Amino acid sequence: MQENKKTLEDYKVNTKIKLAGLWTSLMFCYIYGDYFELYVPQKVESLLNGQNILDSPMKLFAATIMMTIPSLMIFLSLMLQPKINRILNIIFGIFFTALMLLIAFNSISTWLTFYFFLAIIESVISLLIVKQAWAWKRIIE
């Protein structure tokens, strides 16, 4: 008697959608990391009294610009033409990988173990962005 095997249907996911999904995952990790950091003792107090890394309008603006890039890359990965899309994903993927690795190795302490963990995960995700963009399938014209 022949056994009836049922396989789950699977579709090939477009590169643009993969990239947008990776940037979205990266943004969630960034947001949760910053949110969880508020639970570190004295963090809220330092924010209230202005004794933190973003202690000037220019530093805050620079951080805003920097964190706008991954947010926009979610949309841009879906909308840009493949050539420019690929280049931007590789450039920003490498930049954010380097940044997260720097943060990871500066976050090794008891209270910041969660930050170290998230920074490593974020580095892996941003490397996957670079890998996905680098391996973007080309068509022969």
Side-chain angles (χ1 to χ4, degrees), residues 8 13 20-21 38 42 54 73 82-83 92 96 101 104 108 119 122 133-134 139-140:
L8 298 174
V13 180
L38 295 174
Q42 272 59 78
L54 303 176
M73 286 306 295
K83 188 174 185 178
F92 290 135
F96 283 99
L101 287 173
I108 301 174
E122 292 159 0
W134 189 272
I139 56 170
I140 300 171

Side-chain angles (χ1 to χ4, degrees), residues 60-90:
L60 189 57
F61 184 61
T64 301
I65 290 172
M66 187 178 71
M67 292 317 298
T68 300
I69 294 168
S71 301
L72 290 175
M73 286 306 295
I74 297 167
F75 173 73
L76 293 176
S77 292
L78 293 170
M79 302 310 291
L80 291 176
Q81 295 177 353
K83 188 174 185 178
I84 189 77
N85 200 339
R86 180 177 183 264
I87 292 167
L88 288 179
N89 274 283
I90 291 170

Side-chain angles (χ1 to χ4, degrees), residues 109-131:
S109 76
T110 305
W111 270 103
L112 295 178
T113 305
F114 75 94
Y115 221 64
F116 174 80
F117 173 77
L118 281 171
I120 295 298
I121 296 298
E122 292 159 0
S123 299
V124 170
I125 294 171
S126 54
L127 278 174
L128 288 172
I129 289 169
V130 173
K131 180 181 179 284

